[in-house]
Amino acid sequence: DKVPYVTVSSDLGERKIIWEGESSLSGKMVVEDVSSEEQGQKVHCRRLIFLNNPNVIQSEVKLLAQGESFSINHGLLTFDHHKALTIAMSYSAPSLLGSVSPLHTLVIGLGGGMFPLFLHKHFSQMKVDVVELDPSILQVAQETFGFVQDDRLKVIIEDGLLFVKKNALPPPESSTDSSSSSSSSSGASAAVTPSA
């Protein structure tokens, strides 16, 4: 039996759909704000859900209450697989920990853009490219998750596998370079390599 990696539980709390749309590639999707109780405290989050698999959370971000409104907390990862990947990258890529040598990171799959935004915010030596097949996903990330591109964070609309095939570098001759990769059930993966 397959078990979805990040799923919607039966006790969802209060849900409010804030955006609905459809893409020829991703199908129908919604963005919802969810308020629930966790350990006696009110918790708010925003989720992207693809309705062709409504029990799987594609993207999630914690929201900070500011009176009657909310702001997005780009400084916090909510998915365990993103946390584990960030820890692994920190151990395998010494320049994340203070070297002046910048890293170039590739993330396959944008979703709401929380993982690339987290890397961008916390690792100032890192340049992040995101490859996303569906241009509608970029629009959703910008409109509902506060995703913004700049000189260190770019989205390329292209098939991720084709992009990797076109841009793959030969293996390094020495073992001093580091790289890491990971993938998740959401389809996102990342690779870290030293910038040339």
Side-chain angles (χ1 to χ4, degrees):
D1 291 327
K2 290 185 177 180
V3 177
Y5 192 79
V6 182
T7 61
V8 176
S9 66
S10 58
D11 181 22
L12 291 176
E14 181 183 327
R15 299 169 61 190
K16 177 182 176 188
I17 293 176
I18 63 161
W19 183 92
E20 293 181 79
E22 186 170 359
S23 156
S24 61
L25 293 172
S26 300
K28 292 182 180 181
M29 57 190 119
V30 296
V31 175
E32 61 186 14
D33 285 352
V34 178
S35 298
S36 61
E37 291 278 331
E38 287 182 16
Q39 299 175 351
Q41 293 196 9
K42 194 85 159 168
V43 176
H44 309 280
C45 65
R46 180 164 292 165
R47 294 177 174 161
L48 170 61
I49 309 283
F50 292 162
L51 295 181
N52 62 1
N53 198 353
N55 294 325
V56 175
I57 301 167
Q58 173 63 28
S59 294
E60 181 178 79
V61 64
K62 294 292 184 192
L63 299 174
L64 302 173
Q66 297 179 330
E68 296 295 315
S69 64
F70 298 98
S71 66
I72 297 170
N73 184 353
H74 291 126
L76 179 68
L77 294 174
T78 59
F79 292 157
D80 288 340
H81 60 279
H82 287 156
K83 293 173 188 175
L85 181 55
T86 303
I87 292 167
M89 288 169 38
S90 295
Y91 279 112
S92 66
S95 63
L96 285 175
L97 302 174
S99 171
V100 294
S101 175
L103 289 180
H104 197 153
T105 303
L106 175 64
V107 178
I108 309 286
L110 178 64
M114 297 302 93
F115 183 58
L117 281 171
F118 178 87
L119 295 175
H120 180 266
K121 178 176 181 166
H122 291 285
F123 302 108
S124 62
Q125 294 292 331
M126 185 180 283
K127 182 176 188 279
V128 181
D129 286 337
V130 181
V131 180
E132 171 57 55
L133 179 62
D134 189 346
S136 300
I137 298 301
L138 174 58
Q139 181 182 355
V140 172
Q142 291 170 326
E143 290 178 10
T144 62
F145 286 87
F147 185 84
V148 178
Q149 300 181 70
D150 66 16
D151 61 327
R152 291 192 310 109
L153 179 57
K154 299 275 187 226
V155 175
I156 301 148
I157 302 298
E158 188 173 336
D159 181 293
L161 290 175
L162 294 177
F163 181 88
V164 170
K165 285 180 183 178
K166 277 191 331 192
N167 296 287
L169 299 173
E173 291 184 26
S174 74
S175 61
T176 59
D177 291 337
S178 64
S179 67
S180 65
S181 65
S182 173
S183 70
S184 67
S185 65
S186 66
S189 61
V192 181
T193 59
S195 290

mmCIF file of all heavy atoms in Angstrom, residues 56-82:
data_model
loop_
_atom_site.group_PDB
_atom_site.id
_atom_site.type_symbol
_atom_site.label_atom_id
_atom_site.label_comp_id
_atom_site.label_asym_id
_atom_site.label_seq_id
_atom_site.Cartn_x
_atom_site.Cartn_y
_atom_site.Cartn_z
ATOM 1 N N VAL A 56 -3.428 14.997 -0.277
ATOM 2 C CA VAL A 56 -2.001 15.315 -0.209
ATOM 3 C C VAL A 56 -1.832 16.828 -0.240
ATOM 4 O O VAL A 56 -2.387 17.517 -1.091
ATOM 5 C CB VAL A 56 -1.226 14.663 -1.381
ATOM 6 C CG1 VAL A 56 0.237 15.092 -1.365
ATOM 7 C CG2 VAL A 56 -1.335 13.156 -1.300
ATOM 8 N N ILE A 57 -1.052 17.337 0.697
ATOM 9 C CA ILE A 57 -0.749 18.770 0.751
ATOM 10 C C ILE A 57 0.461 19.017 -0.144
ATOM 11 O O ILE A 57 1.545 18.515 0.126
ATOM 12 C CB ILE A 57 -0.449 19.211 2.194
ATOM 13 C CG1 ILE A 57 -1.640 18.916 3.107
ATOM 14 C CG2 ILE A 57 -0.079 20.697 2.225
ATOM 15 C CD1 ILE A 57 -1.311 19.022 4.577
ATOM 16 N N GLN A 58 0.274 19.786 -1.211
ATOM 17 C CA GLN A 58 1.367 20.082 -2.126
ATOM 18 C C GLN A 58 2.358 21.054 -1.491
ATOM 19 O O GLN A 58 3.562 20.867 -1.582
ATOM 20 C CB GLN A 58 0.802 20.680 -3.423
ATOM 21 C CG GLN A 58 1.829 21.198 -4.399
ATOM 22 C CD GLN A 58 2.764 20.121 -4.922
ATOM 23 O OE1 GLN A 58 2.391 18.954 -4.990
ATOM 24 N NE2 GLN A 58 3.963 20.489 -5.272
ATOM 25 N N SER A 59 1.841 22.118 -0.871
ATOM 26 C CA SER A 59 2.680 23.122 -0.214
ATOM 27 C C SER A 59 1.964 23.622 1.025
ATOM 28 O O SER A 59 0.737 23.650 1.067
ATOM 29 C CB SER A 59 2.944 24.316 -1.143
ATOM 30 O OG SER A 59 3.720 23.934 -2.244
ATOM 31 N N GLU A 60 2.771 24.050 2.010
ATOM 32 C CA GLU A 60 2.194 24.592 3.242
ATOM 33 C C GLU A 60 3.146 25.615 3.831
ATOM 34 O O GLU A 60 4.365 25.446 3.776
ATOM 35 C CB GLU A 60 1.952 23.479 4.258
ATOM 36 C CG GLU A 60 1.334 23.975 5.554
ATOM 37 C CD GLU A 60 1.058 22.852 6.531
ATOM 38 O OE1 GLU A 60 2.016 22.401 7.189
ATOM 39 O OE2 GLU A 60 -0.104 22.431 6.613
ATOM 40 N N VAL A 61 2.571 26.676 4.386
ATOM 41 C CA VAL A 61 3.357 27.696 5.067
ATOM 42 C C VAL A 61 2.578 28.144 6.307
ATOM 43 O O VAL A 61 1.349 28.188 6.299
ATOM 44 C CB VAL A 61 3.653 28.898 4.125
ATOM 45 C CG1 VAL A 61 2.385 29.617 3.721
ATOM 46 C CG2 VAL A 61 4.640 29.859 4.764
ATOM 47 N N LYS A 62 3.307 28.426 7.371
ATOM 48 C CA LYS A 62 2.673 28.958 8.579
ATOM 49 C C LYS A 62 2.340 30.431 8.352
ATOM 50 O O LYS A 62 3.100 31.175 7.714
ATOM 51 C CB LYS A 62 3.597 28.838 9.795
ATOM 52 C CG LYS A 62 3.887 27.418 10.204
ATOM 53 C CD LYS A 62 2.664 26.707 10.749
ATOM 54 C CE LYS A 62 3.037 25.319 11.226
ATOM 55 N NZ LYS A 62 1.914 24.489 11.505
ATOM 56 N N LEU A 63 1.207 30.834 8.905
ATOM 57 C CA LEU A 63 0.773 32.228 8.834
ATOM 58 C C LEU A 63 0.908 32.852 10.213
ATOM 59 O O LEU A 63 0.651 32.200 11.228
ATOM 60 C CB LEU A 63 -0.681 32.314 8.370
ATOM 61 C CG LEU A 63 -0.991 31.746 6.989
ATOM 62 C CD1 LEU A 63 -2.498 31.778 6.725
ATOM 63 C CD2 LEU A 63 -0.249 32.512 5.914
ATOM 64 N N LEU A 64 1.314 34.105 10.247
ATOM 65 C CA LEU A 64 1.422 34.853 11.493
ATOM 66 C C LEU A 64 0.221 35.785 11.604
ATOM 67 O O LEU A 64 -0.032 36.589 10.700
ATOM 68 C CB LEU A 64 2.721 35.661 11.508
ATOM 69 C CG LEU A 64 4.016 34.864 11.350
ATOM 70 C CD1 LEU A 64 5.211 35.793 11.204
ATOM 71 C CD2 LEU A 64 4.207 33.938 12.541
ATOM 72 N N ALA A 65 -0.535 35.646 12.714
ATOM 73 C CA ALA A 65 -1.701 36.496 12.915
ATOM 74 C C ALA A 65 -1.256 37.919 13.243
ATOM 75 O O ALA A 65 -0.383 38.128 14.080
ATOM 76 C CB ALA A 65 -2.566 35.942 14.046
ATOM 77 N N GLN A 66 -1.848 38.867 12.539
ATOM 78 C CA GLN A 66 -1.599 40.293 12.793
ATOM 79 C C GLN A 66 -2.952 40.982 12.865
ATOM 80 O O GLN A 66 -3.442 41.501 11.869
ATOM 81 C CB GLN A 66 -0.727 40.901 11.697
ATOM 82 C CG GLN A 66 0.649 40.283 11.642
ATOM 83 C CD GLN A 66 1.506 40.869 10.539
ATOM 84 O OE1 GLN A 66 1.029 41.296 9.510
ATOM 85 N NE2 GLN A 66 2.807 40.886 10.786
ATOM 86 N N GLY A 67 -3.539 40.946 14.061
ATOM 87 C CA GLY A 67 -4.898 41.458 14.218
ATOM 88 C C GLY A 67 -5.867 40.545 13.496
ATOM 89 O O GLY A 67 -5.896 39.346 13.727
ATOM 90 N N GLU A 68 -6.632 41.102 12.554
ATOM 91 C CA GLU A 68 -7.599 40.324 11.783
ATOM 92 C C GLU A 68 -6.998 39.726 10.510
ATOM 93 O O GLU A 68 -7.626 38.942 9.834
ATOM 94 C CB GLU A 68 -8.804 41.205 11.413
ATOM 95 C CG GLU A 68 -9.605 41.682 12.613
ATOM 96 C CD GLU A 68 -10.267 40.524 13.346
ATOM 97 O OE1 GLU A 68 -10.850 39.641 12.690
ATOM 98 O OE2 GLU A 68 -10.188 40.500 14.590
ATOM 99 N N SER A 69 -5.756 40.099 10.182
ATOM 100 C CA SER A 69 -5.138 39.590 8.958
ATOM 101 C C SER A 69 -3.937 38.695 9.292
ATOM 102 O O SER A 69 -3.591 38.517 10.460
ATOM 103 C CB SER A 69 -4.708 40.754 8.063
ATOM 104 O OG SER A 69 -3.713 41.523 8.702
ATOM 105 N N PHE A 70 -3.315 38.159 8.257
ATOM 106 C CA PHE A 70 -2.189 37.252 8.424
ATOM 107 C C PHE A 70 -1.049 37.655 7.506
ATOM 108 O O PHE A 70 -1.259 38.220 6.442
ATOM 109 C CB PHE A 70 -2.600 35.809 8.078
ATOM 110 C CG PHE A 70 -3.675 35.256 8.957
ATOM 111 C CD1 PHE A 70 -4.994 35.258 8.534
ATOM 112 C CD2 PHE A 70 -3.368 34.731 10.189
ATOM 113 C CE1 PHE A 70 -5.993 34.749 9.342
ATOM 114 C CE2 PHE A 70 -4.353 34.222 11.009
ATOM 115 C CZ PHE A 70 -5.671 34.230 10.594
ATOM 116 N N SER A 71 0.172 37.331 7.936
ATOM 117 C CA SER A 71 1.332 37.458 7.055
ATOM 118 C C SER A 71 1.978 36.086 6.933
ATOM 119 O O SER A 71 1.827 35.227 7.797
ATOM 120 C CB SER A 71 2.329 38.491 7.596
ATOM 121 O OG SER A 71 2.892 38.046 8.805
ATOM 122 N N ILE A 72 2.692 35.889 5.830
ATOM 123 C CA ILE A 72 3.315 34.597 5.552
ATOM 124 C C ILE A 72 4.682 34.533 6.216
ATOM 125 O O ILE A 72 5.479 35.466 6.111
ATOM 126 C CB ILE A 72 3.437 34.387 4.032
ATOM 127 C CG1 ILE A 72 2.036 34.340 3.417
ATOM 128 C CG2 ILE A 72 4.221 33.127 3.704
ATOM 129 C CD1 ILE A 72 2.015 34.372 1.911
ATOM 130 N N ASN A 73 4.955 33.425 6.901
ATOM 131 C CA ASN A 73 6.241 33.222 7.560
ATOM 132 C C ASN A 73 7.164 32.423 6.637
ATOM 133 O O ASN A 73 7.149 31.196 6.646
ATOM 134 C CB ASN A 73 6.043 32.487 8.893
ATOM 135 C CG ASN A 73 7.334 32.330 9.663
ATOM 136 O OD1 ASN A 73 8.408 32.647 9.168
ATOM 137 N ND2 ASN A 73 7.225 31.846 10.884
ATOM 138 N N HIS A 74 7.964 33.135 5.816
ATOM 139 C CA HIS A 74 8.885 32.478 4.884
ATOM 140 C C HIS A 74 10.114 31.913 5.595
ATOM 141 O O HIS A 74 10.928 31.239 4.962
ATOM 142 C CB HIS A 74 9.334 33.456 3.792
ATOM 143 C CG HIS A 74 8.241 33.825 2.854
ATOM 144 N ND1 HIS A 74 7.903 35.127 2.599
ATOM 145 C CD2 HIS A 74 7.395 33.071 2.128
ATOM 146 C CE1 HIS A 74 6.903 35.169 1.744
ATOM 147 N NE2 HIS A 74 6.573 33.932 1.442
ATOM 148 N N GLY A 75 10.268 32.171 6.868
ATOM 149 C CA GLY A 75 11.456 31.738 7.594
ATOM 150 C C GLY A 75 11.310 30.408 8.299
ATOM 151 O O GLY A 75 12.188 30.008 9.054
ATOM 152 N N LEU A 76 10.228 29.697 8.051
ATOM 153 C CA LEU A 76 9.964 28.449 8.758
ATOM 154 C C LEU A 76 9.562 27.369 7.759
ATOM 155 O O LEU A 76 8.689 27.590 6.923
ATOM 156 C CB LEU A 76 8.824 28.659 9.768
ATOM 157 C CG LEU A 76 8.378 27.465 10.579
ATOM 158 C CD1 LEU A 76 9.468 27.044 11.548
ATOM 159 C CD2 LEU A 76 7.106 27.806 11.348
ATOM 160 N N LEU A 77 10.203 26.221 7.835
ATOM 161 C CA LEU A 77 9.819 25.074 7.011
ATOM 162 C C LEU A 77 8.813 24.229 7.777
ATOM 163 O O LEU A 77 9.023 23.936 8.954
ATOM 164 C CB LEU A 77 11.045 24.226 6.662
ATOM 165 C CG LEU A 77 12.084 24.878 5.767
ATOM 166 C CD1 LEU A 77 13.312 23.984 5.623
ATOM 167 C CD2 LEU A 77 11.501 25.204 4.400
ATOM 168 N N THR A 78 7.742 23.817 7.122
ATOM 169 C CA THR A 78 6.735 23.001 7.802
ATOM 170 C C THR A 78 6.854 21.520 7.474
ATOM 171 O O THR A 78 6.397 20.684 8.241
ATOM 172 C CB THR A 78 5.307 23.474 7.454
ATOM 173 O OG1 THR A 78 5.126 23.387 6.045
ATOM 174 C CG2 THR A 78 5.076 24.900 7.926
ATOM 175 N N PHE A 79 7.453 21.165 6.340
ATOM 176 C CA PHE A 79 7.574 19.757 5.948
ATOM 177 C C PHE A 79 8.884 19.177 6.457
ATOM 178 O O PHE A 79 9.956 19.759 6.270
ATOM 179 C CB PHE A 79 7.500 19.603 4.432
ATOM 180 C CG PHE A 79 6.153 19.915 3.825
ATOM 181 C CD1 PHE A 79 6.055 20.271 2.500
ATOM 182 C CD2 PHE A 79 4.983 19.836 4.555
ATOM 183 C CE1 PHE A 79 4.832 20.542 1.914
ATOM 184 C CE2 PHE A 79 3.756 20.098 3.998
ATOM 185 C CZ PHE A 79 3.674 20.456 2.668
ATOM 186 N N ASP A 80 8.807 18.003 7.052
ATOM 187 C CA ASP A 80 10.005 17.343 7.584
ATOM 188 C C ASP A 80 11.039 17.045 6.504
ATOM 189 O O ASP A 80 12.238 17.129 6.751
ATOM 190 C CB ASP A 80 9.626 16.048 8.307
ATOM 191 C CG ASP A 80 8.930 16.312 9.637
ATOM 192 O OD1 ASP A 80 9.065 17.441 10.174
ATOM 193 O OD2 ASP A 80 8.266 15.392 10.141
ATOM 194 N N HIS A 81 10.595 16.694 5.296
ATOM 195 C CA HIS A 81 11.568 16.383 4.245
ATOM 196 C C HIS A 81 12.352 17.624 3.817
ATOM 197 O O HIS A 81 13.516 17.523 3.462
ATOM 198 C CB HIS A 81 10.909 15.680 3.050
ATOM 199 C CG HIS A 81 9.835 16.438 2.364
ATOM 200 N ND1 HIS A 81 8.545 16.489 2.829
ATOM 201 C CD2 HIS A 81 9.857 17.173 1.229
ATOM 202 C CE1 HIS A 81 7.814 17.223 2.015
ATOM 203 N NE2 HIS A 81 8.585 17.646 1.037
ATOM 204 N N HIS A 82 11.751 18.807 3.885
ATOM 205 C CA HIS A 82 12.496 20.043 3.606
ATOM 206 C C HIS A 82 13.500 20.337 4.721
ATOM 207 O O HIS A 82 14.621 20.778 4.455
ATOM 208 C CB HIS A 82 11.544 21.224 3.445
ATOM 209 C CG HIS A 82 10.775 21.194 2.170
ATOM 210 N ND1 HIS A 82 9.579 21.842 2.034
ATOM 211 C CD2 HIS A 82 11.033 20.604 0.975
ATOM 212 C CE1 HIS A 82 9.124 21.650 0.801
ATOM 213 N NE2 HIS A 82 9.990 20.899 0.147
#
